[in-house]
Amino acid sequence: MIKVMIAKPGLDGHDRGAKVVAKALRDAGMEVIYTGIRQTPEQIAQSAVDEDVDVLGISILSGAHMKLVPKILELLKKMGSNMPVFVGGIIPKEDAKRLKEIGVVEVYGPGTPTSEIAEQVRKFVEHSNA
Amino acid sequence: MSNTRMREDEFLEGIKSHDRRSLAKMLSLCEKDPETANVLLDKLEKKTSHVVGITGSPGVGKSTLISAILDKMNGKNVGVIVVDPSSPFTGGALLGDRVRMQSHATNEKFFIRSFANRGALGGLSPSIYEACDTFESFGMDNVIIETVGVGQSEIDVSNIADTVIVVLSPDNGDEIQMMKAGLMEIADLFVINKSDNPRSQILLSRLRAMTAGSKEVPIYLTNAVTSEGVERLVRALDSRFFQILSDGTLSQKRRKRLLNHVKSMIRRELDRLVQSFEIDGISPKEMRDHIIEELCRKKRL
Ligand SMILES: Nc1nc2c(ncn2[C@@H]2O[C@H](COP(=O)(O)OP(=O)(O)O)[C@@H](O)[C@H]2O)c(=O)[nH]1
Ligand SMILES: [Mg+2]
């Protein structure tokens, strides 16, 4: 059984996208924990570690991804976790590249088919277990 | 298992030294391999926490109420188990109770863990007994369990909880009418939540009328959003724990819980055996004999 957390940091309150992904992953047979909106990096990292999820998905539309995502990665590392983290949202190409350099496994723009995300999440988990 | 694995002795040491990450991993072990979890739990000392089950229809405000209760639990160590249903078709689940409790996510005294019921008989998680024991081994003062709120989960929670709170809310249609058989019997406390809704007074008088004559079950009115009435509820929980501890009720409850824990372990073995059996050309009676034989053989191994 794959456990995923979908988290929504930052100040924007639009969680339609996050919920669509959460539901799609559930329909793909995964257990999906949703954190709700406006979460701090501390809340997200601690929740993901406490729930011992296999994968963490972060949805960001606010534009603050270059601040929030590295912070979450840093906190996870500090807590001794190396869980795969993916990001969804409106992320410029060069930022996406940078995020992947610092350890994000994938960045999804709007309109990515949810079936593709589900399939890749399975792969992330397989890899991290290998 | 996600990321780094832990060895058994690391688990034991981790739990004993109150390491949060070990607790997280141990709870995963309860889900993935409950038999091993039981072996480890045997080696750990257990504190007697007050185990409180919170049940009631979806939407009455159980998760919000737990968050408000945590606000009033200053200084105490509390483990929270929230259970949501798995889809019987895909096995997937959306676990959303945490959303209401995220203000406590970084509080080092509290630990919230979401479980899918994975089709468990009764609607709680199949590993609920192990998870609860784990929290007690970790030294929690309280363990709070939120049920799915549909099916048999209400009745099931009374098999594990020392105290059952049945939550009702006035905006849920005719709650009293909808109240399922058995719910009256298992309630140690009633909470009418959403007291900001004027119809909560009508619900209160109807519930009073309904419970009149049977055993005395206190009713508390709360507004889980503003925390109105929650402090009284928390105080009532504390004094109830003291009471059941001293009048012998608690040891009865613990005996019942132990028996149910054992039954759930045997059921797990049985399910595995029954599923692995070739059923072609064999009568139910013969199959039963085979399975019992197999169970005994396994014990001797
Ligand atoms: N007006 C009002 N709304 C409440 C109260 N308690 C919870 N709610 C709301 O009821 C909805 C369902 O709450 P939730 O805690 O998720 O219910 P659960 O399904 O029983 O866990 C949420 O929108 C809450 O904000 C209350 O006391 N008053
Ligand atoms: Mg809930």
Side-chain angles (χ1 to χ4, degrees):
Chain A
M1 180 54 74
I2 295 177
K3 269 182 95 172
V4 191
M5 177 169 284
I6 299 295
K8 186 120 189 45
L11 295 177
D12 77 284
H14 307 286
D15 64 349
R16 222 182 72 91
K19 281 182 172 162
V20 167
V21 171
K23 285 188 181 137
L25 296 178
R26 174 200 60 189
D27 293 341
M30 301 176 197
E31 291 179 353
V32 186
I33 298 156
Y34 180 54
T35 63
I37 56 173
R38 300 201 176 96
Q39 298 293 298
T40 65
E42 285 77 10
Q43 283 172 312
I44 292 171
Q46 189 66 64
S47 304
V49 170
D50 286 357
E51 296 280 0
D52 193 25
V53 292
D54 301 299
V55 189
L56 171 63
I58 303 171
S59 163
I60 303 195
L61 296 170
S62 66
H65 47 266
M66 292 316 279
K67 231 179 77 194
L68 295 168
V69 176
K71 180 77 191 165
I72 293 168
L73 292 180
E74 181 200 316
L75 288 166
L76 284 174
K77 202 168 165 195
K78 216 186 273 171
M79 293 175 191
S81 167
N82 56 353
M83 69 176 69
V85 176
F86 67 90
V87 176
I90 307 162
I91 316 274
K93 254 208 180 98
E94 53 279 24
D95 288 357
K97 189 165 162 261
R98 179 80 194 107
L99 287 176
K100 282 164 93 165
E101 275 165 16
I102 62 166
V104 167
V105 291
E106 195 51 87
V107 176
Y108 300 103
T112 312
T114 52
S115 56
E116 190 180 308
I117 300 179
E119 202 177 301
Q120 292 196 11
V121 164
R122 267 182 224 293
K123 292 222 178 83
F124 302 150
V125 176
E126 271 166 36
H127 282 193
S128 72
N129 284 347
Chain B
M1 190 164 295
S2 90
N3 8 112
T4 17
R5 283 156 214 262
M6 288 182 80
R7 289 201 330 266
E8 292 191 3
D9 50 333
E10 285 179 302
F11 270 121
L12 294 175
E13 278 319 303
I15 297 286
K16 279 184 206 158
S17 62
H18 302 282
D19 171 47
R20 199 171 173 110
R21 198 163 148 268
S22 301
L23 176 57
K25 291 285 176 193
M26 180 73 183
L27 289 167
S28 297
L29 187 72
C30 291
E31 281 201 292
K32 285 168 188 154
D33 183 1
E35 306 327 323
T36 305
N38 278 307
V39 172
L40 293 181
L41 284 165
D42 270 357
K43 297 179 186 161
L44 288 164
E45 204 147 338
K46 237 177 78 190
K47 169 168 181 156
T48 305
S49 319
H50 186 191
V51 181
V52 178
I54 302 196
T55 187
S57 309
V60 295
K62 298 180 293 299
S63 304
T64 314
L65 183 64
I66 292 176
S67 185
I69 289 174
L70 290 176
D71 275 326
K72 307 286 176 204
M73 286 261 183
N74 262 335
K76 280 197 187 172
N77 295 299
V78 188
V80 179
I81 297 174
V82 283
V83 188
D84 275 313
S86 304
S87 156
F89 305 108
T90 64
L94 196 53
L95 313 173
D97 297 308
R98 209 176 221 288
V99 175
R100 317 260 179 238
M101 308 174 192
Q102 275 305 80
S103 60
H104 303 290
T106 55
N107 188 320
E108 58 189 31
K109 294 264 176 190
F110 304 150
F111 194 102
I112 302 162
R113 185 62 176 246
S114 314
F115 287 87
N117 78 345
R118 300 191 178 174
L121 216 69
L124 288 169
S125 156
S127 316
I128 194 81
Y129 294 100
E130 288 78 16
C132 195
D133 280 1
T134 298
F135 274 133
E136 290 196 282
S137 302
F138 196 74
M140 294 300 186
D141 299 302
N142 283 68
V143 177
I144 303 178
I145 303 172
E146 175 181 339
T147 76
V148 180
V150 288
Q152 278 289 304
S153 59
E154 295 86 349
I155 313 302
D156 217 42
V157 78
S158 70
N159 288 333
I160 186 166
D162 304 323
T163 299
V164 175
I165 303 180
V166 174
V167 186
L168 305 169
S169 107
D171 63 8
N172 238 29
D174 197 339
E175 272 274 69
I176 302 257
Q177 205 96 95
M178 286 181 354
M179 226 158 99
K180 279 166 267 181
L183 217 54
M184 298 302 284
E185 284 74 16
I186 63 149
D188 297 305
L189 282 92
F190 279 109
V191 164
I192 295 178
N193 188 39
K194 309 199 184 183
S195 59
D196 47 317
N197 180 334
R199 289 187 48 218
S200 56
Q201 288 302 324
I202 306 172
L203 185 58
L204 176 63
S205 46
R206 297 191 59 189
L207 184 60
R208 280 218 180 102
M210 201 171 157
T211 51
S214 52
K215 76 168 175 172
E216 185 92 11
V217 181
I219 305 170
Y220 292 86
L221 280 162
T222 59
N223 178 338
V225 175
T226 62
S227 285
E228 221 176 297
V230 177
E231 187 140 18
R232 267 186 69 223
L233 174 65
V234 170
R235 260 186 274 129
L237 285 173
D238 283 347
S239 50
R240 178 183 148 85
F241 187 57
F242 183 72
Q243 193 205 322
I244 61 175
L245 196 64
S246 40
D247 73 5
T249 310
L250 188 73
S251 29
Q252 270 172 30
K253 298 249 179 199
R254 289 305 169 114
R255 200 182 128 69
K256 188 173 160 196
R257 171 171 149 197
L258 184 71
L259 294 178
N260 283 301
H261 184 161
V262 174
K263 278 193 222 166
S264 97
M265 289 168 79
I266 296 177
R267 214 177 287 131
R268 215 154 32 215
E269 294 280 351
L270 210 53
D271 281 349
R272 226 187 339 254
L273 276 176
V274 171
Q275 252 139 44
S276 68
F277 249 76
E278 284 294 337
I279 51 169
D280 273 1
I282 191 169
S283 79
K285 161 81 170 67
E286 283 170 320
M287 185 161 165
R288 167 188 164 278
D289 293 346
H290 276 305
I291 286 170
I292 289 176
E293 217 169 275
E294 196 64 29
L295 268 179
C296 297
R297 201 177 61 83
K298 202 174 167 223
K299 166 70 190 67
R300 281 191 297 268
L301 285 179

